[in-house]
Amino acid sequence: MTTSNNESSRKLTANVKAAGCAAKISSLELKQVLSSIPRTQCPELLTSLENFEDAAVYKITEDIAIIETVDFFPPVVDDPFLFGRIAAVNALSDVYAMGGKPVIALNVLCFPTCDYPLSVVEEILKGGQAACAEAGVTVAGGHSIQGPEPVFGLAVTGVINPKSILTNGGAKNGDVLVLTKPLGTGVMLLGLKGDTLSQIERKQLLDSLTLLNKQALEIANKYHPSAATDITGFGLIGHTTEMALASGLAAYLYIDELPFFACAVALASQGLVPAGAYANRNTFSSSVINLEHIEIAIQDLLFDPQTSGGLMFALQEEQAVRLLAELTAEGLTASIIGGFVEGKAGQVEVKK
Amino acid sequence: MSTDKKQDSANSLDLRGLMCPEPVLRTKKLLDQKPEGAVEVLVDSDINVMNLTRLANSLGLSLHSKEKDGGYMVVISKKNESEAGRIPHNHDVSQTASASGQKASSQKSANTSVVFIAKDTFGEGDRDFSVNLLNVFLQTILQAGHKPQAILLANTGVRLMDPDSSVRKVLDEFKEAGIEVLACGLCVEFYGLKEKIKAEQITNMYAICEYLFSADKVISP
């Protein structure tokens, strides 16, 4: 390879094949593998594997349950501190997506110490620590190994009252969907890697990637959401399908209401589409109605794997309108993007 | 920027082993240097082919691919002569290039707009201030996420394309965002800027008229 021998000059993303949540194993492959693994019955486990929840919830008492989740991925940016911060924000998000409060976290680290100076590891961990500190989470330890490609993330423990859990399966007929971050991070990260983003576009992307979903959840909890998830590796369509399936309802999405990053459509139309988007298309396109009427670039963005994506809440329309107003007033990007109706469970209709 | 001589004489690239988005970006660079001829690239995976299909569609070019040596040989070329004019009627996504097997939408995007700039200032007033104001205007369009179909430059407006102009940078950003930035050929000639502007960004009055008359909205600062 032509990689420079000068360790400090080597880019963190140099060897990375798929960045962030685009590195996820496809949902189809995962289902195939998991189907052969025997399940243990556990009455205290409040989440079911079938519903593709964001995290596992284990009941301790009638009032206390713990939330467990782990998330890690290869570098999405060359700045190690920023990478650490984004990976941690992304990992913490799964606890917020269940409606909980993260309390402690463990670092999960794989790192080729021959290829990069140790100061790079230090920066990654500092970035992770910074995100945890902002979230009020204590980093209590971790585990690190050598490997060919850097990987970082967190195992996070959160707490929740079992009655307040927000699962994928709680959505009601007539609920609408509120999304709290812009869409298109997979495409935008390719643009960032290819150095095709302007300073403004770069800033918008990084601001979104490093934004904790903490505040969005705290605000949303006032408006009694019936279901929640975070939009990550399976893309908007994947996570909407999962929520619809788990809730036994059909979903619809308003294409014109989707909050894409300003240049994401242009980048996607020029072929900056991550492999994960094609994998998500293979997995989920059969559950989508009217997809063929949508421009290809928009289709790609519907399947685009999101890293550190926003929360998506299902709730009654009048509550959603008030939630939207409060989120927007707090400076968060928020939109009502669709909703649920009676129909074939797991079906998603895209509407102009 | 000076053009690499070796690349200039070659119409093909071996892009195997490169990671996303390099194959797309390098192919685009080669196409930018070869507005006339077909280019051939060798890539590893069908993902690369699907991404190059999108690139070809966005440029109104046709694409053919076949498996070769465990990878794919992709040929991108002009569709045919009648479609060569960089005129908005050909803006629809091509059906011929759908190697990924998806049907392209034939619907024209709603409410097309073009920005028509026929002088190098925003209104009349203090010269430096008026040039700056034009810069701010264009920056704001980008930041707000407005997607005009094209930015058309005529008369002294073509001076904005001069590499020395403070406005050139934002015009390049529009280009990167997939928005056409085109300068009137007569004007470029008259103001002696022919050497400083890429041939692919120089157009004629016929194409300018086509843009203006086919747009739903023409915005002129």
Short mmCIF file of all heavy atoms in Angstrom, two decimals, chain A residues 14-17 190 193-194 196-198 200-201 204 262-263 266-275 278 281 292-296 299-300 352, chain B residues 17 19-22 24-25 28 47 50-52 54-55 57-58 93 102-105 107 109 139 142-145 147 173 175-178:
data_model
loop_
_atom_site.label_atom_id
_atom_site.label_comp_id
_atom_site.label_asym_id
_atom_site.label_seq_id
_atom_site.Cartn_x
_atom_site.Cartn_y
_atom_site.Cartn_z
N ALA A 14 -8.25 6.38 7.02
CA ALA A 14 -7.56 5.86 5.83
C ALA A 14 -7.98 4.44 5.46
O ALA A 14 -8.24 4.15 4.30
CB ALA A 14 -6.06 5.92 6.05
N ASN A 15 -8.06 3.54 6.43
CA ASN A 15 -8.34 2.14 6.11
C ASN A 15 -9.79 1.75 6.32
O ASN A 15 -10.13 0.58 6.28
CB ASN A 15 -7.47 1.24 7.00
CG ASN A 15 -6.13 1.02 6.35
OD1 ASN A 15 -5.89 1.55 5.27
ND2 ASN A 15 -5.28 0.24 6.99
N VAL A 16 -10.63 2.73 6.60
CA VAL A 16 -11.99 2.41 6.99
C VAL A 16 -12.85 2.15 5.75
O VAL A 16 -12.95 2.99 4.87
CB VAL A 16 -12.59 3.55 7.82
CG1 VAL A 16 -14.07 3.30 8.07
CG2 VAL A 16 -11.85 3.67 9.13
N LYS A 17 -13.45 0.97 5.70
CA LYS A 17 -14.27 0.62 4.53
C LYS A 17 -15.65 1.22 4.63
O LYS A 17 -16.19 1.73 3.68
CB LYS A 17 -14.36 -0.90 4.40
CG LYS A 17 -13.04 -1.51 4.00
CD LYS A 17 -13.22 -2.97 3.60
CE LYS A 17 -11.90 -3.64 3.29
NZ LYS A 17 -11.00 -3.73 4.45
N LEU A 190 -19.65 10.60 3.54
CA LEU A 190 -18.86 10.32 2.34
C LEU A 190 -18.38 11.63 1.72
O LEU A 190 -17.25 11.74 1.26
CB LEU A 190 -19.69 9.54 1.30
CG LEU A 190 -19.87 8.04 1.52
CD1 LEU A 190 -20.57 7.43 0.32
CD2 LEU A 190 -18.53 7.34 1.74
N LYS A 193 -15.53 12.82 3.78
CA LYS A 193 -14.33 12.04 3.50
C LYS A 193 -13.72 12.44 2.16
O LYS A 193 -12.50 12.51 2.01
CB LYS A 193 -14.69 10.55 3.50
CG LYS A 193 -13.51 9.62 3.67
CD LYS A 193 -13.99 8.17 3.79
CE LYS A 193 -12.79 7.23 3.72
NZ LYS A 193 -13.22 5.84 3.53
N GLY A 194 -14.57 12.69 1.18
CA GLY A 194 -14.11 13.09 -0.14
C GLY A 194 -13.79 14.56 -0.23
O GLY A 194 -13.47 15.06 -1.31
N THR A 196 -15.67 17.20 -0.12
CA THR A 196 -16.52 17.95 -1.03
C THR A 196 -17.51 18.86 -0.28
O THR A 196 -18.37 19.46 -0.91
CB THR A 196 -17.35 17.01 -1.95
OG1 THR A 196 -18.27 16.31 -1.12
CG2 THR A 196 -16.47 16.03 -2.68
N LEU A 197 -17.40 18.94 1.05
CA LEU A 197 -18.34 19.79 1.79
C LEU A 197 -17.76 21.18 1.99
O LEU A 197 -16.56 21.34 2.22
CB LEU A 197 -18.64 19.19 3.17
CG LEU A 197 -19.26 17.80 3.24
CD1 LEU A 197 -19.69 17.48 4.66
CD2 LEU A 197 -20.46 17.67 2.31
N SER A 198 -18.60 22.19 1.91
CA SER A 198 -18.17 23.54 2.25
C SER A 198 -18.08 23.63 3.77
O SER A 198 -18.54 22.75 4.49
CB SER A 198 -19.18 24.56 1.73
OG SER A 198 -20.37 24.47 2.48
N ILE A 200 -19.67 25.47 5.82
CA ILE A 200 -21.00 25.53 6.45
C ILE A 200 -21.61 24.14 6.53
O ILE A 200 -22.15 23.74 7.55
CB ILE A 200 -21.94 26.44 5.64
CG1 ILE A 200 -21.32 27.82 5.50
CG2 ILE A 200 -23.31 26.53 6.27
CD1 ILE A 200 -21.67 28.52 4.21
N GLU A 201 -21.50 23.40 5.41
CA GLU A 201 -22.08 22.06 5.36
C GLU A 201 -21.40 21.15 6.37
O GLU A 201 -22.04 20.34 7.04
CB GLU A 201 -21.95 21.48 3.95
CG GLU A 201 -22.83 22.20 2.94
CD GLU A 201 -22.35 22.04 1.50
OE1 GLU A 201 -21.24 21.49 1.27
OE2 GLU A 201 -23.07 22.49 0.61
N GLN A 204 -22.64 22.01 9.87
CA GLN A 204 -23.99 21.50 10.11
C GLN A 204 -23.95 20.01 10.42
O GLN A 204 -24.62 19.52 11.33
CB GLN A 204 -24.88 21.73 8.87
CG GLN A 204 -25.31 23.18 8.73
CD GLN A 204 -26.01 23.46 7.41
OE1 GLN A 204 -25.89 22.70 6.46
NE2 GLN A 204 -26.74 24.57 7.34
N ALA A 262 -28.82 20.20 3.73
CA ALA A 262 -29.05 20.98 2.51
C ALA A 262 -28.41 20.37 1.26
O ALA A 262 -29.02 20.38 0.20
CB ALA A 262 -28.56 22.40 2.72
N CYS A 263 -27.20 19.83 1.35
CA CYS A 263 -26.56 19.36 0.11
C CYS A 263 -26.64 17.84 -0.05
O CYS A 263 -26.07 17.29 -0.98
CB CYS A 263 -25.12 19.82 0.06
SG CYS A 263 -24.11 19.08 1.32
N ALA A 266 -28.03 16.54 -3.45
CA ALA A 266 -27.08 16.74 -4.55
C ALA A 266 -25.95 15.71 -4.48
O ALA A 266 -25.55 15.15 -5.51
CB ALA A 266 -26.52 18.16 -4.51
N LEU A 267 -25.45 15.46 -3.28
CA LEU A 267 -24.35 14.48 -3.13
C LEU A 267 -24.83 13.08 -3.51
O LEU A 267 -24.14 12.36 -4.23
CB LEU A 267 -23.82 14.47 -1.70
CG LEU A 267 -23.07 15.71 -1.22
CD1 LEU A 267 -22.60 15.52 0.22
CD2 LEU A 267 -21.87 16.00 -2.11
N ALA A 268 -26.02 12.71 -3.03
CA ALA A 268 -26.54 11.37 -3.33
C ALA A 268 -26.76 11.21 -4.83
O ALA A 268 -26.46 10.17 -5.41
CB ALA A 268 -27.83 11.11 -2.57
N SER A 269 -27.26 12.28 -5.48
CA SER A 269 -27.56 12.15 -6.91
C SER A 269 -26.28 12.02 -7.73
O SER A 269 -26.31 11.53 -8.84
CB SER A 269 -28.40 13.34 -7.40
OG SER A 269 -27.61 14.50 -7.37
N GLN A 270 -25.15 12.42 -7.14
CA GLN A 270 -23.89 12.26 -7.86
C GLN A 270 -23.16 10.97 -7.50
O GLN A 270 -22.01 10.78 -7.87
CB GLN A 270 -22.98 13.46 -7.59
CG GLN A 270 -23.50 14.71 -8.28
CD GLN A 270 -22.69 15.92 -7.90
OE1 GLN A 270 -21.53 16.03 -8.25
NE2 GLN A 270 -23.29 16.81 -7.14
N GLY A 271 -23.83 10.11 -6.72
CA GLY A 271 -23.24 8.80 -6.46
C GLY A 271 -22.47 8.70 -5.16
O GLY A 271 -21.73 7.75 -4.98
N LEU A 272 -22.63 9.65 -4.25
CA LEU A 272 -21.98 9.51 -2.94
C LEU A 272 -22.94 8.79 -1.99
O LEU A 272 -23.50 9.37 -1.07
CB LEU A 272 -21.55 10.87 -2.39
CG LEU A 272 -20.10 11.23 -2.72
CD1 LEU A 272 -19.93 11.44 -4.21
CD2 LEU A 272 -19.64 12.45 -1.97
N VAL A 273 -23.15 7.51 -2.27
CA VAL A 273 -24.12 6.71 -1.51
C VAL A 273 -23.37 5.56 -0.85
O VAL A 273 -22.70 4.78 -1.53
CB VAL A 273 -25.22 6.16 -2.45
CG1 VAL A 273 -26.21 5.31 -1.68
CG2 VAL A 273 -25.93 7.30 -3.17
N PRO A 274 -23.44 5.44 0.49
CA PRO A 274 -22.69 4.39 1.16
C PRO A 274 -23.26 3.00 0.89
O PRO A 274 -24.46 2.85 0.64
CB PRO A 274 -22.81 4.75 2.65
CG PRO A 274 -23.98 5.63 2.76
CD PRO A 274 -24.17 6.31 1.43
N ALA A 275 -22.38 1.99 0.97
CA ALA A 275 -22.80 0.61 0.71
C ALA A 275 -23.97 0.21 1.61
O ALA A 275 -24.86 -0.53 1.18
CB ALA A 275 -21.61 -0.33 0.93
N TYR A 278 -27.40 0.65 0.19
CA TYR A 278 -27.82 -0.39 -0.75
C TYR A 278 -28.26 -1.64 0.01
O TYR A 278 -29.21 -2.32 -0.38
CB TYR A 278 -26.70 -0.70 -1.74
CG TYR A 278 -26.38 0.44 -2.67
CD1 TYR A 278 -25.22 1.20 -2.52
CD2 TYR A 278 -27.25 0.79 -3.70
CE1 TYR A 278 -24.93 2.26 -3.37
CE2 TYR A 278 -26.98 1.84 -4.55
CZ TYR A 278 -25.82 2.58 -4.39
OH TYR A 278 -25.54 3.63 -5.22
N ARG A 281 -31.63 -0.95 1.36
CA ARG A 281 -32.60 -1.02 0.27
C ARG A 281 -33.00 -2.46 0.02
O ARG A 281 -34.19 -2.78 -0.11
CB ARG A 281 -32.00 -0.38 -0.99
CG ARG A 281 -32.94 -0.35 -2.18
CD ARG A 281 -32.22 0.07 -3.44
NE ARG A 281 -32.04 1.52 -3.55
CZ ARG A 281 -32.94 2.35 -4.07
NH1 ARG A 281 -34.10 1.89 -4.49
NH2 ARG A 281 -32.69 3.64 -4.15
N GLU A 292 -41.28 3.82 -6.13
CA GLU A 292 -40.85 4.07 -7.51
C GLU A 292 -41.21 5.47 -8.00
O GLU A 292 -40.68 5.93 -9.00
CB GLU A 292 -41.41 2.99 -8.45
CG GLU A 292 -42.94 2.96 -8.59
CD GLU A 292 -43.64 2.24 -7.43
OE1 GLU A 292 -42.99 1.91 -6.42
OE2 GLU A 292 -44.87 2.02 -7.53
N HIS A 293 -42.11 6.16 -7.27
CA HIS A 293 -42.48 7.51 -7.70
C HIS A 293 -41.54 8.57 -7.14
O HIS A 293 -41.70 9.75 -7.40
CB HIS A 293 -43.92 7.85 -7.27
CG HIS A 293 -44.93 6.92 -7.86
ND1 HIS A 293 -44.96 6.65 -9.21
CD2 HIS A 293 -45.90 6.17 -7.30
CE1 HIS A 293 -45.94 5.78 -9.45
NE2 HIS A 293 -46.52 5.47 -8.30
N ILE A 294 -40.59 8.13 -6.34
CA ILE A 294 -39.68 9.08 -5.69
C ILE A 294 -38.35 9.11 -6.45
O ILE A 294 -37.86 8.09 -6.91
CB ILE A 294 -39.42 8.62 -4.23
CG1 ILE A 294 -40.74 8.35 -3.49
CG2 ILE A 294 -38.54 9.58 -3.48
CD1 ILE A 294 -41.59 9.54 -3.26
N GLU A 295 -37.81 10.31 -6.58
CA GLU A 295 -36.50 10.51 -7.19
C GLU A 295 -35.46 9.56 -6.55
O GLU A 295 -35.47 9.38 -5.33
CB GLU A 295 -36.11 11.95 -6.86
CG GLU A 295 -35.21 12.66 -7.80
CD GLU A 295 -34.92 14.05 -7.22
OE1 GLU A 295 -35.88 14.76 -6.86
OE2 GLU A 295 -33.74 14.37 -7.10
N ILE A 296 -34.56 9.02 -7.37
CA ILE A 296 -33.59 8.04 -6.86
C ILE A 296 -32.75 8.60 -5.69
O ILE A 296 -32.50 7.92 -4.71
CB ILE A 296 -32.63 7.59 -8.00
CG1 ILE A 296 -33.40 6.89 -9.11
CG2 ILE A 296 -31.52 6.69 -7.45
CD1 ILE A 296 -33.54 5.41 -8.96
N GLN A 299 -34.73 8.43 -2.64
CA GLN A 299 -34.83 7.02 -2.22
C GLN A 299 -33.57 6.62 -1.47
O GLN A 299 -33.62 5.99 -0.42
CB GLN A 299 -34.96 6.10 -3.44
CG GLN A 299 -36.25 6.20 -4.20
CD GLN A 299 -36.30 5.17 -5.33
OE1 GLN A 299 -35.61 4.16 -5.31
NE2 GLN A 299 -37.12 5.43 -6.33
N ASP A 300 -32.41 6.96 -2.05
CA ASP A 300 -31.14 6.60 -1.42
C ASP A 300 -31.06 7.18 0.00
O ASP A 300 -30.55 6.54 0.91
CB ASP A 300 -29.95 7.09 -2.25
CG ASP A 300 -29.77 6.27 -3.52
OD1 ASP A 300 -30.17 5.09 -3.52
OD2 ASP A 300 -29.23 6.80 -4.51
N LYS A 352 -45.88 12.05 -1.48
CA LYS A 352 -45.34 13.34 -1.94
C LYS A 352 -45.94 14.46 -1.11
O LYS A 352 -47.11 14.41 -0.76
CB LYS A 352 -45.68 13.54 -3.41
CG LYS A 352 -44.67 12.85 -4.31
CD LYS A 352 -43.47 13.77 -4.51
CE LYS A 352 -42.54 13.19 -5.57
NZ LYS A 352 -41.34 14.00 -5.71
N GLY B 17 -9.44 -1.17 -5.47
CA GLY B 17 -8.70 -1.01 -4.21
C GLY B 17 -8.98 0.31 -3.53
O GLY B 17 -8.59 0.51 -2.39
N MET B 19 -11.34 3.15 -1.72
CA MET B 19 -12.57 3.11 -0.93
C MET B 19 -13.48 4.29 -1.22
O MET B 19 -13.02 5.36 -1.61
CB MET B 19 -12.22 3.04 0.55
CG MET B 19 -11.89 1.61 0.95
SD MET B 19 -11.26 1.51 2.59
CE MET B 19 -9.54 1.30 2.32
N CYS B 20 -14.76 4.07 -1.02
CA CYS B 20 -15.78 5.08 -1.22
C CYS B 20 -15.40 6.36 -0.46
O CYS B 20 -14.97 6.26 0.67
CB CYS B 20 -17.10 4.55 -0.69
SG CYS B 20 -18.40 4.65 -1.88
N PRO B 21 -15.55 7.56 -0.98
CA PRO B 21 -16.14 7.90 -2.29
C PRO B 21 -15.10 8.13 -3.38
O PRO B 21 -15.41 8.73 -4.41
CB PRO B 21 -16.85 9.21 -1.97
CG PRO B 21 -15.92 9.89 -1.00
CD PRO B 21 -15.28 8.79 -0.19
N GLU B 22 -13.86 7.65 -3.19
CA GLU B 22 -12.79 7.94 -4.16
C GLU B 22 -13.12 7.54 -5.60
O GLU B 22 -12.90 8.33 -6.52
CB GLU B 22 -11.48 7.29 -3.72
CG GLU B 22 -10.71 8.09 -2.68
CD GLU B 22 -10.38 9.50 -3.16
OE1 GLU B 22 -9.83 9.64 -4.26
OE2 GLU B 22 -10.70 10.46 -2.44
N VAL B 24 -15.88 7.44 -7.24
CA VAL B 24 -16.81 8.40 -7.84
C VAL B 24 -16.10 9.74 -8.08
O VAL B 24 -16.19 10.33 -9.16
CB VAL B 24 -18.04 8.61 -6.93
CG1 VAL B 24 -18.82 9.85 -7.36
CG2 VAL B 24 -18.94 7.39 -6.99
N LEU B 25 -15.35 10.20 -7.09
CA LEU B 25 -14.72 11.51 -7.20
C LEU B 25 -13.67 11.51 -8.32
O LEU B 25 -13.54 12.47 -9.08
CB LEU B 25 -14.10 11.93 -5.87
CG LEU B 25 -15.12 12.13 -4.74
CD1 LEU B 25 -14.41 12.50 -3.44
CD2 LEU B 25 -16.14 13.21 -5.09
N LYS B 28 -15.37 11.51 -11.66
CA LYS B 28 -15.93 12.83 -11.94
C LYS B 28 -14.83 13.76 -12.42
O LYS B 28 -15.01 14.53 -13.37
CB LYS B 28 -16.60 13.38 -10.69
CG LYS B 28 -17.14 14.79 -10.86
CD LYS B 28 -18.46 14.98 -10.15
CE LYS B 28 -19.18 16.23 -10.60
NZ LYS B 28 -18.42 17.45 -10.31
N ILE B 47 -21.46 -1.97 -5.88
CA ILE B 47 -21.78 -0.71 -5.20
C ILE B 47 -21.14 0.45 -5.98
O ILE B 47 -21.78 1.48 -6.23
CB ILE B 47 -21.21 -0.71 -3.75
CG1 ILE B 47 -21.75 -1.88 -2.95
CG2 ILE B 47 -21.48 0.63 -3.06
CD1 ILE B 47 -23.16 -1.76 -2.46
N MET B 50 -23.18 1.10 -9.05
CA MET B 50 -24.44 1.81 -8.78
C MET B 50 -24.18 3.28 -8.49
O MET B 50 -24.93 4.16 -8.91
CB MET B 50 -25.18 1.13 -7.62
CG MET B 50 -25.74 -0.23 -8.03
SD MET B 50 -26.85 -0.96 -6.80
CE MET B 50 -25.71 -1.65 -5.63
N ASN B 51 -23.10 3.57 -7.78
CA ASN B 51 -22.78 4.97 -7.50
C ASN B 51 -22.36 5.71 -8.77
O ASN B 51 -22.74 6.86 -8.98
CB ASN B 51 -21.69 5.06 -6.43
CG ASN B 51 -22.26 4.90 -5.02
OD1 ASN B 51 -23.46 5.10 -4.82
ND2 ASN B 51 -21.43 4.55 -4.07
N LEU B 52 -21.61 5.04 -9.65
CA LEU B 52 -21.22 5.67 -10.92
C LEU B 52 -22.44 5.88 -11.81
O LEU B 52 -22.50 6.84 -12.58
CB LEU B 52 -20.15 4.84 -11.63
CG LEU B 52 -18.77 4.84 -10.94
CD1 LEU B 52 -17.84 3.82 -11.59
CD2 LEU B 52 -18.15 6.24 -11.00
N ARG B 54 -25.35 6.72 -10.74
CA ARG B 54 -25.96 7.97 -10.25
C ARG B 54 -25.18 9.18 -10.76
O ARG B 54 -25.76 10.18 -11.16
CB ARG B 54 -26.02 7.95 -8.72
CG ARG B 54 -27.15 7.05 -8.23
CD ARG B 54 -26.89 6.51 -6.85
NE ARG B 54 -28.07 5.83 -6.29
CZ ARG B 54 -28.49 4.62 -6.66
NH1 ARG B 54 -27.83 3.97 -7.59
NH2 ARG B 54 -29.55 4.08 -6.10
N LEU B 55 -23.86 9.06 -10.74
CA LEU B 55 -23.02 10.16 -11.24
C LEU B 55 -23.33 10.43 -12.72
O LEU B 55 -23.55 11.57 -13.13
CB LEU B 55 -21.54 9.81 -11.06
CG LEU B 55 -20.55 10.83 -11.65
CD1 LEU B 55 -20.62 12.14 -10.86
CD2 LEU B 55 -19.13 10.28 -11.66
N ASN B 57 -26.02 9.68 -14.41
CA ASN B 57 -27.36 10.26 -14.52
C ASN B 57 -27.34 11.75 -14.22
O ASN B 57 -27.97 12.54 -14.92
CB ASN B 57 -28.31 9.57 -13.54
CG ASN B 57 -28.82 8.26 -14.08
OD1 ASN B 57 -28.85 8.06 -15.30
ND2 ASN B 57 -29.20 7.36 -13.21
N SER B 58 -26.61 12.13 -13.17
CA SER B 58 -26.62 13.54 -12.76
C SER B 58 -25.96 14.41 -13.82
O SER B 58 -26.22 15.61 -13.90
CB SER B 58 -25.94 13.71 -11.40
OG SER B 58 -24.54 13.59 -11.53
N VAL B 93 -33.80 12.16 -15.19
CA VAL B 93 -32.85 11.08 -14.94
C VAL B 93 -32.96 10.04 -16.05
O VAL B 93 -34.04 9.65 -16.45
CB VAL B 93 -33.16 10.46 -13.57
CG1 VAL B 93 -32.19 9.34 -13.30
CG2 VAL B 93 -33.06 11.52 -12.50
N GLN B 102 -33.26 0.18 -10.95
CA GLN B 102 -34.37 0.96 -10.43
C GLN B 102 -34.90 1.86 -11.54
O GLN B 102 -34.14 2.38 -12.32
CB GLN B 102 -33.93 1.84 -9.26
CG GLN B 102 -33.47 1.02 -8.11
CD GLN B 102 -32.13 1.47 -7.63
OE1 GLN B 102 -31.65 2.53 -8.02
NE2 GLN B 102 -31.53 0.67 -6.80
N LYS B 103 -36.19 2.05 -11.55
CA LYS B 103 -36.76 2.96 -12.53
C LYS B 103 -36.57 4.38 -12.07
O LYS B 103 -36.86 4.73 -10.94
CB LYS B 103 -38.24 2.65 -12.68
CG LYS B 103 -38.50 1.81 -13.89
CD LYS B 103 -39.86 2.12 -14.49
CE LYS B 103 -40.26 1.02 -15.44
NZ LYS B 103 -41.36 0.23 -14.95
N ALA B 104 -36.07 5.19 -12.98
CA ALA B 104 -35.86 6.58 -12.61
C ALA B 104 -37.19 7.32 -12.69
O ALA B 104 -38.06 6.98 -13.47
CB ALA B 104 -34.88 7.20 -13.57
N SER B 105 -37.31 8.33 -11.87
CA SER B 105 -38.52 9.13 -11.89
C SER B 105 -38.49 10.01 -13.11
O SER B 105 -37.47 10.58 -13.46
CB SER B 105 -38.56 10.00 -10.64
OG SER B 105 -39.42 11.08 -10.86
N GLN B 107 -40.59 12.48 -13.37
CA GLN B 107 -41.19 13.76 -13.00
C GLN B 107 -40.14 14.83 -12.87
O GLN B 107 -39.10 14.63 -12.26
CB GLN B 107 -41.90 13.61 -11.65
CG GLN B 107 -43.17 12.85 -11.76
CD GLN B 107 -43.77 12.62 -10.39
OE1 GLN B 107 -43.07 12.32 -9.44
NE2 GLN B 107 -45.06 12.80 -10.30
N SER B 109 -38.62 18.05 -11.23
CA SER B 109 -38.79 18.56 -9.87
C SER B 109 -39.62 19.84 -9.91
O SER B 109 -39.50 20.65 -10.82
CB SER B 109 -37.44 18.82 -9.23
OG SER B 109 -36.67 19.64 -10.07
N GLN B 139 -24.07 33.23 -0.97
CA GLN B 139 -23.83 32.40 0.23
C GLN B 139 -25.16 32.04 0.90
O GLN B 139 -25.36 30.91 1.34
CB GLN B 139 -23.00 33.17 1.28
CG GLN B 139 -21.60 33.51 0.85
CD GLN B 139 -20.62 32.39 1.15
OE1 GLN B 139 -21.03 31.31 1.52
NE2 GLN B 139 -19.34 32.65 0.95
N LEU B 142 -27.13 29.32 -0.77
CA LEU B 142 -26.55 28.01 -0.44
C LEU B 142 -26.94 27.56 0.97
O LEU B 142 -27.40 26.45 1.18
CB LEU B 142 -25.03 28.09 -0.50
CG LEU B 142 -24.30 27.48 -1.69
CD1 LEU B 142 -22.82 27.49 -1.44
CD2 LEU B 142 -24.77 26.08 -2.00
N GLN B 143 -26.74 28.48 1.93
CA GLN B 143 -26.99 28.13 3.32
C GLN B 143 -28.45 27.80 3.58
O GLN B 143 -28.77 26.94 4.39
CB GLN B 143 -26.58 29.28 4.25
CG GLN B 143 -25.09 29.39 4.41
CD GLN B 143 -24.70 30.66 5.13
OE1 GLN B 143 -25.43 31.14 5.98
NE2 GLN B 143 -23.57 31.21 4.77
N ALA B 144 -29.33 28.51 2.87
CA ALA B 144 -30.76 28.30 3.09
C ALA B 144 -31.22 27.01 2.43
O ALA B 144 -32.34 26.58 2.60
CB ALA B 144 -31.55 29.48 2.56
N GLY B 145 -30.32 26.40 1.62
CA GLY B 145 -30.67 25.15 0.98
C GLY B 145 -31.51 25.29 -0.27
O GLY B 145 -32.05 24.31 -0.76
N LYS B 147 -32.30 25.35 -4.09
CA LYS B 147 -31.61 24.61 -5.15
C LYS B 147 -32.02 25.13 -6.52
O LYS B 147 -32.86 24.55 -7.18
CB LYS B 147 -31.96 23.12 -5.06
CG LYS B 147 -31.45 22.44 -3.83
CD LYS B 147 -30.09 21.85 -4.09
CE LYS B 147 -29.47 21.42 -2.78
NZ LYS B 147 -28.05 21.48 -2.75
N GLU B 173 -18.73 26.33 -5.00
CA GLU B 173 -19.51 25.53 -4.04
C GLU B 173 -20.87 25.13 -4.62
O GLU B 173 -21.36 24.03 -4.39
CB GLU B 173 -19.68 26.29 -2.71
CG GLU B 173 -18.39 26.34 -1.92
CD GLU B 173 -18.51 27.14 -0.62
OE1 GLU B 173 -19.63 27.51 -0.25
OE2 GLU B 173 -17.45 27.39 -0.01
N LYS B 175 -21.36 24.62 -7.76
CA LYS B 175 -21.02 23.59 -8.74
C LYS B 175 -20.87 22.25 -8.02
O LYS B 175 -21.38 21.22 -8.47
CB LYS B 175 -19.72 23.99 -9.45
CG LYS B 175 -19.37 23.06 -10.58
CD LYS B 175 -19.23 23.80 -11.88
CE LYS B 175 -19.44 22.84 -13.06
NZ LYS B 175 -18.68 21.59 -12.95
N GLU B 176 -20.18 22.28 -6.87
CA GLU B 176 -19.97 21.04 -6.10
C GLU B 176 -21.29 20.48 -5.59
O GLU B 176 -21.42 19.28 -5.41
CB GLU B 176 -19.04 21.31 -4.91
CG GLU B 176 -17.58 21.32 -5.28
CD GLU B 176 -16.73 21.94 -4.18
OE1 GLU B 176 -17.11 21.85 -2.99
OE2 GLU B 176 -15.70 22.52 -4.51
N ALA B 177 -22.23 21.39 -5.35
CA ALA B 177 -23.54 20.93 -4.84
C ALA B 177 -24.42 20.45 -5.99
O ALA B 177 -25.60 20.18 -5.80
CB ALA B 177 -24.22 22.06 -4.08
N GLY B 178 -23.85 20.36 -7.20
CA GLY B 178 -24.59 19.83 -8.33
C GLY B 178 -25.42 20.85 -9.08
O GLY B 178 -26.27 20.50 -9.89
#
